[in-house]
Structures are given as C-alpha cells and as structure tokens.
Amino acid sequence: MKIKIFDVKQITKYVIKNSLKRIFLYRACLVRLKLMGVKKVFSYTLANETGVTADQVRKDFSEFGIKGNKRGGYEVEELLEKMENIFHRNKDHNLVLIGMGNMGLALSKYSRFVQRNMNIVATFDIDPFKQKIRSDIPVYSMGRLKEIIDRFRVKVAILAVPEISAQEVADELIRFGIKGIVNFAPVLLKVPADVVVNNVNLCDELESVIYYVHKMMKVDGLKNIEILYRDMKY
Amino acid sequence: MKIKIFDVKQITKYVIKNSLKRIFLYRACLVRLKLMGVKKVFSYTLANETGVTADQVRKDFSEFGIKGNKRGGYEVEELLEKMENIFHRNKDHNLVLIGMGNMGLALSKYSRFVQRNMNIVATFDIDPFKQKIRSDIPVYSMGRLKEIIDRFRVKVAILAVPEISAQEVADELIRFGIKGIVNFAPVLLKVPADVVVNNVNLCDELESVIYYVHKMMKVDGLKNIEILYRDMKY
DNA sequence: TTTTATATGTGAATCTTCTCACATAAATGC
DNA sequence: GCATTTATGTGAGAAGATTCACATATAAAA
Ligand SMILES: NC(=O)c1ccc[n+]([C@@H]2O[C@H](COP(=O)([O-])OP(=O)(O)OC[C@H]3O[C@@H](n4cnc5c(N)ncnc54)[C@H](O)[C@@H]3O)[C@@H](O)[C@H]2O)c1
Ligand SMILES: NC(=O)c1ccc[n+]([C@@H]2O[C@H](COP(=O)([O-])OP(=O)(O)OC[C@H]3O[C@@H](n4cnc5c(N)ncnc54)[C@H](O)[C@@H]3O)[C@@H](O)[C@H]2O)c1
C-alpha cells in the first residue's frame, strides 16, 4: 500500500474517520438546537446530546479548525455556518442514482437528501419497465447517463444495482467523470486512486449487531461490560 | 463515560470495530473463493482481494483466535467454518422489522438477509393500509409485536420508522426483550446499557463521500494524496 | 474597573491500532 | 532424510486516537 498510481485500478476500502462521523452528530444536534431557539452551546452540551465526552468535542473541533469563544462556548448559528463551509453545504450537490430496484426506489423517495442540499437529478435503470415507474425523479435508460452527468456537473453517484453489474456500471460512471460512489452492492469495487468509494453493506451492519448482542448476553458483571464496551469502541 | 448502569437509559454510540468490518470482508471473499472451487488461501490472497495488507489479515485472525497451517496457508472450508462459529451463523437469527414505508419495504424484499441466516419473521406498521401491501413477509399491526417477539425468540430488530417515532418504538421493543437494534432513523436512541444500537445514517454516508471528493479534487500531487489517504484511513 | 468563575484550546500522557520483522513450523525439492 | 523455501504467528516498534490536565482568555459578577 505504499505506491499508488492514479491510473491503476485497485480495491478501494476507504473508511470514514470516526472524528468525521462525530462532526456529523454534532451538526445534527446543532440543527435541532437551532430549531428550538437555542443561541449558545458549550462543548458539554454537545457531548451530552451525542454520547461523547466534552474533551472529544473540543478536540474534534480543533482538528477541523473550529474555534469558539473562551469561556463563552459557541454561537449555534456561527458554529453551524462553519460546519456548512467544511461540508460544502453552501452549494447544492447534484447526484445520480443507478438502479431503480427496491433499494433505489426507496432512496429516490428519501426527502432528507434534498433537505441537506443533495439532489438526485436523475435515476437510471437498464430495465425499460422500471423506467416507467412513477417517481418524482425521472428514470432514464443508461444511454443518457453521460448527457445528464455533463449537464448537471454530477460528481457523486449512488450505486444500487445488483452485485453482478456493480463493477461494470462503476467503470462507466468513472469514465463519464464521477469521482465519488456510495455503493450498496456487497462487492468491493476496483477504481482509480482518485475515486472515492463508500461501501454501505447492510448485511454486515446487521450481522455485527447480532455479534455484539451475543457477546453482550454472555456478559453479566459490570466489570466485564466495561471490557466489552471498549471492544465496541463505545 | 466512566460509570455505566444498566437501568439508566443513555445515548448509545457503538462503533463497529474496523477489525470486525475487515473480518466480514474476508468472509465474503472466502465465500466467493469456495464457490470457485478454491481449496486453500494465503493471507496475501485475502489481502489482495480485500485491499488490506497481509500482515493485517494475520493480525486480525490472531485477534479472533483463528489459526492456519504454518507454510500451508488456510483451508477455505475450515476457515469459513471457524468464522461461522464466531458469528453464530450455525444457527438462524429471527428478526423483526418495524416501519413498512419506503425503506422498510426495500429491506423486507432483500434476499441476502435470508441467504445469511437472518430471517425477518414479521414486519410491523402503525398504518393499516401498509398492512395490506403485498409482501412475502406478513405485515402486522403494532399490537402483535410482543406475541411475535416471544414466539420467535427475536432478539434483534430493524427500525425503519420516521425520526419522530423512533425513540418511542425503540422503548417498546426493548420492553418486549429486544437486545439489538439497527436504526435507520437519523436520531441517537437512548437505551439501557445492555442494548446494542447500530445507527445507519445514509445521509451521513453520502455527505462524507461528497466531503472526501471535494478534498480529493483539491489534491493533485502524489505526495499530497498520500496524506489524504491517511486522513481517510485507507 | 477589578475580580472571579468557568469553558476553551492544546500539549502531554495514555491507550489502541497498525506495521514491521523475524523466529518458527512445515511443506517441497533434492 | 536432509536442506531449502515459504507462509504463519506474534512480539516490538510506530502511528494514530483519545483522555487528561491546565494555562489562558473572557464573560459575568461585584
Ligand atoms: N433491497 C435492499 O434492501 C438492499 C439492501 C442492501 C443492499 N442492497 C443491494 O443494493 C443493490 C440493489 O438491490 P435491490 O434490492 O434494489 O435489487 P433489485 O434487483 O430490486 O434492483 C436492481 C435494479 O438494478 C437494475 N439493473 C440491473 N443491472 C443494471 C445495469 N447494468 N445498469 C443499470 N441498472 C441495472 C435492475 O433493472 C433493477 O431495477 C444490490 O446490489 C443489493 O445487494 C439492497
Ligand atoms: N427511504 C429511504 O431511503 C431512507 C434512507 C435512510 C433513512 N431512512 C429513514 O428510515 C426511516 C423510514 O423511512 P421511510 O422513507 O421508509 O419513511 P416512510 O414514511 O415511507 O415509512 C415510515 C413507516 O413507518 C410507519 N410508522 C410511523 N410511525 C410508526 C410507529 N409509531 N410504529 C410503527 N410504524 C410506524 C409508517 O406508517 C410508515 O409506513 C426514517 O427514519 C428515515 O429517515 C429512509
């Protein structure tokens, strides 16, 4: 893993940093607080609401270059704005979704993406029948993929096609300029080094819960549970 | 976060360990290799197929107490069996799914859960109309939740209800003996310490890809990309 | 204005995870 | 049957993440 060349396709196994995941939690919390009319927060407020420590909150802010007011905490509004900038949320993001099967359909109807400035501008499917399904978002044949990606300057795609087609479709997406893929198919895609892939594997998510539940049921004392917690990166 | 008491509800923020995630990758790879008729693997085979280093594979095996044959690698069959045991896959796991909206419907139709010994024995919805939707799996009213959980000894639930109802439904599930929840609603649930919650937040998954794509597009030299990779825990 | 109380921001310490390196065991070849 | 080759398994060292601890700035109080 020392030498990386852009043109060589390779398995991508990006893992989202925990600090970034936590930042998302803080933001969700801030949005709620703002709606409630709260003007100021402290690191321990966010900590309580998100199940982390206050130290961690401040350290995370430090990592992302976010500064508050000594002794005065953070202005909710200001903090949110800083985060919007970090996450490029001041601008809209156009997405395409490939595969209008069960999962694709659900995702295409999910209103929260739009609420967060992420617009699925079009969906695609190889099956002409799927292309007739009623949806707020147009369903096109794969032939129009390049045209739409160019027109809407799409950089990120959601991939919800069967496992068997995932690599082939990913190759096409990348050829047309896609730089980021959220992949729901349970395969590791081979992509050039400058393409970001986030694999969402729901089977694994379920199985890990089953795994931890089994572990938990074997535990009884409080001391043991502490060890188990560590094992789960609580 | 030092003192934990079972009866006090708290925000749970379990994070699945990366080593466990990698074990899932190895297993998926082994299943494929077995289908292809491969009998023996080496740590570097798995490494190549999953985008990690051979050292890491062996270290992970070491953590989970998996041993191979010196110089001889690992028997695919034997290795898979050991993993099945670790993940309790020799027995079936009964699940319930709450919320037969867009997401719930997609999940209820996902055949891979069954392939992996995870059976959604019943789904539930508050809406009588949803209860009439055609599905292979029965859709019940919430009134029958306890009965089904007891009958099928269900320990793990999939939660796909709107954000606003998620906590309330989770409370009910836990009251009826559920010990693990895969939560699709974008809220952190407050649960007793012996209940495992895995939050799947698809907005966050998307946003993090957008975040990394932006970062990637600012990078051009190979040296910088190395730093970026580190930042993404490649 | 001065004092006091308190929350931030960040190095240092600790704990965890990953990488490296190599002794070791066992197949293969001679 | 002995030498050689090669992959494992694991300590040791490096890198990374989290927690601790406290100097510092500043809002609030007096
Ligand atoms: N359904 C779920 O809940 C679920 C959960 C997790 C993961 N997944 C994964 O998501 C993917 C889709 O799952 P699904 O349940 O929606 O499957 P599905 O079969 O319902 O849908 C797949 C869709 O992709 C289309 N398609 C097939 N090949 C294509 C191609 N080459 N180009 C464009 N479109 C193509 C099909 O016409 C179909 O509409 C699968 O990889 C699956 O493993 C699904
Ligand atoms: N649709 C998606 O692609 C998607 C993606 C990510 C996350 N989610 C999340 O998953 C959850 C469900 O999303 P959705 O799109 O399926 O929404 P939806 O509105 O289509 O479905 C929600 C279902 O839950 C049922 N419900 C509501 N209150 C209930 C209660 N108290 N008990 C039992 N059932 C109840 C409703 O009748 C409805 O059928 C939401 O929290 C959403 O944020 C959805």
Side-chain angles (χ1 to χ4, degrees):
Chain A
M1 287 294 110
K2 278 292 143 58
I3 297 145
K4 298 213 178 62
I5 304 149
F6 276 107
D7 301 327
V8 176
K9 279 200 221 166
Q10 52 184 312
I11 301 275
T12 54
K13 201 185 62 60
Y14 298 105
V15 180
I16 296 160
K17 270 179 94 178
N18 287 339
S19 57
L20 182 57
K21 282 194 194 161
R22 287 194 301 266
I23 292 276
F24 284 126
L25 292 182
Y26 307 147
R27 195 186 56 188
C29 176
L30 286 166
V31 169
R32 271 206 317 282
L33 290 172
K34 188 184 168 185
L35 279 176
M36 287 161 65
V38 177
K39 294 264 173 278
K40 230 202 253 180
V41 282
F42 303 104
S43 57
Y44 58 81
T45 326
L46 289 171
N48 271 342
E49 292 285 314
T50 55
V52 303
T53 64
D55 295 321
Q56 183 91 75
V57 173
R58 295 205 303 281
K59 201 64 175 184
D60 287 338
F61 281 5
S62 170
E63 182 184 333
F64 285 87
I66 293 169
K67 300 228 168 204
N69 323 304
K70 281 240 163 168
R71 162 84 208 258
Y74 308 82
E75 301 285 329
V76 172
E77 190 87 36
E78 202 184 311
L79 196 49
L80 262 175
E81 209 158 291
K82 277 177 187 168
M83 289 192 176
E84 308 279 299
N85 282 333
I86 292 170
F87 295 120
H88 314 279
R89 296 249 278 106
N90 26 5
K91 33 182 176 289
D92 279 5
H93 299 286
N94 293 333
L95 312 173
V96 290
L97 190 164
I98 323 294
M100 274 297 267
N102 297 313
M103 182 45 90
L105 192 63
L107 293 171
S108 75
K109 289 183 181 167
Y110 192 36
S111 55
R112 194 168 288 266
F113 291 147
V114 176
Q115 283 167 34
R116 292 229 225 156
N117 294 39
M118 300 182 288
N119 307 308
I120 300 176
V121 291
T123 67
F124 296 85
D125 205 292
I126 206 174
D127 177 356
F129 175 74
K130 297 285 166 68
Q131 292 163 30
K132 288 189 199 107
I133 285 173
R134 266 217 56 70
S135 170
D136 295 343
I137 302 165
V139 187
Y140 296 130
S141 73
M142 294 298 283
R144 299 192 58 190
L145 190 52
K146 184 173 166 33
E147 171 204 338
I148 301 290
I149 288 176
D150 286 347
R151 168 136 46 102
F152 292 98
R153 298 170 191 285
V154 181
K155 288 276 163 264
V156 175
I158 303 171
L159 195 54
V161 301
E163 188 178 346
I164 192 95
S165 327
Q167 182 64 57
E168 166 200 336
V169 176
D171 290 345
E172 205 169 349
L173 287 167
I174 291 161
R175 198 145 26 104
F176 297 157
I178 290 295
K179 293 292 177 202
I181 297 174
V182 180
N183 171 36
F184 284 86
V187 269
L188 294 179
L189 301 173
K190 290 206 169 97
V191 300
D194 65 336
V195 174
V196 176
V197 178
N198 185 6
N199 295 299
V200 176
N201 190 321
L202 299 185
C203 270
D204 290 357
E205 301 291 341
L206 250 175
E207 285 200 9
S208 41
V209 169
I210 293 174
Y211 174 75
Y212 284 129
V213 166
H214 271 261
K215 264 197 152 174
M216 184 69 84
M217 294 199 301
K218 283 204 203 106
V219 162
D220 37 8
L222 263 186
K223 202 189 138 210
N224 285 330
I225 212 172
E226 279 297 328
I227 295 163
L228 178 52
Y229 273 122
R230 187 152 342 115
D231 210 46
M232 288 196 249
K233 284 182 83 179
Y234 180 81
Chain B
M1 286 296 108
K2 278 291 145 57
I3 298 144
K4 296 211 180 61
I5 304 150
F6 276 107
D7 302 329
V8 176
K9 280 199 217 164
Q10 52 185 310
I11 301 276
T12 53
K13 202 184 60 58
Y14 298 105
V15 180
I16 296 158
K17 271 178 90 177
N18 287 338
S19 58
L20 183 56
K21 284 195 194 159
R22 285 193 302 266
I23 293 276
F24 284 125
L25 292 182
Y26 307 147
R27 196 187 53 188
C29 175
L30 286 166
V31 169
R32 270 205 317 282
L33 290 171
K34 188 183 167 186
L35 279 176
M36 286 161 65
V38 177
K39 294 266 172 278
K40 231 201 253 179
V41 281
F42 304 103
S43 57
Y44 58 81
T45 325
L46 290 172
N48 271 343
E49 291 285 313
T50 55
V52 303
T53 64
D55 295 319
Q56 183 90 74
V57 173
R58 294 202 306 280
K59 204 61 176 188
D60 287 337
F61 282 5
S62 172
E63 180 185 335
F64 285 87
I66 294 169
K67 302 227 168 207
N69 323 305
K70 281 244 162 165
R71 163 85 207 259
Y74 308 82
E75 301 286 328
V76 172
E77 190 87 37
E78 202 184 314
L79 197 48
L80 261 174
E81 209 158 291
K82 278 179 186 165
M83 289 193 177
E84 306 280 300
N85 282 333
I86 292 170
F87 296 120
H88 315 277
R89 297 250 278 104
N90 24 6
K91 34 181 177 290
D92 278 6
H93 299 285
N94 293 333
L95 312 172
V96 289
L97 190 163
I98 323 294
M100 275 296 267
N102 297 314
M103 183 46 90
L105 191 65
L107 293 171
S108 76
K109 290 183 180 167
Y110 192 38
S111 55
R112 195 167 288 265
F113 291 147
V114 176
Q115 283 168 31
R116 292 230 227 157
N117 293 40
M118 300 182 288
N119 306 310
I120 300 176
V121 291
T123 68
F124 296 85
D125 205 293
I126 206 175
D127 177 356
F129 175 73
K130 296 286 167 64
Q131 292 163 30
K132 287 186 200 111
I133 284 174
R134 266 217 55 71
S135 169
D136 294 343
I137 302 165
V139 187
Y140 297 129
S141 73
M142 294 298 284
R144 300 191 58 189
L145 190 53
K146 186 174 163 37
E147 171 204 338
I148 300 290
I149 288 176
D150 285 348
R151 167 138 45 102
F152 291 98
R153 298 169 192 285
V154 181
K155 286 277 162 265
V156 174
I158 303 172
L159 195 54
V161 300
E163 188 179 347
I164 192 93
S165 326
Q167 182 64 59
E168 167 200 337
V169 175
D171 290 346
E172 205 170 349
L173 286 166
I174 292 161
R175 201 153 19 127
F176 296 156
I178 289 295
K179 292 292 178 202
I181 297 174
V182 180
N183 172 36
F184 283 88
V187 270
L188 294 179
L189 301 173
K190 289 204 169 98
V191 300
D194 65 336
V195 174
V196 176
V197 178
N198 185 5
N199 295 299
V200 176
N201 190 320
L202 298 185
C203 269
D204 290 357
E205 300 291 344
L206 250 175
E207 286 199 9
S208 43
V209 169
I210 293 175
Y211 174 77
Y212 284 129
V213 166
H214 271 260
K215 264 196 151 174
M216 186 68 86
M217 291 199 302
K218 283 204 203 104
V219 161
D220 37 10
L222 264 185
K223 203 189 138 209
N224 285 329
I225 213 172
E226 278 298 327
I227 295 163
L228 178 54
Y229 272 122
R230 189 152 341 116
D231 210 46
M232 288 197 248
K233 285 182 81 180
Y234 180 81

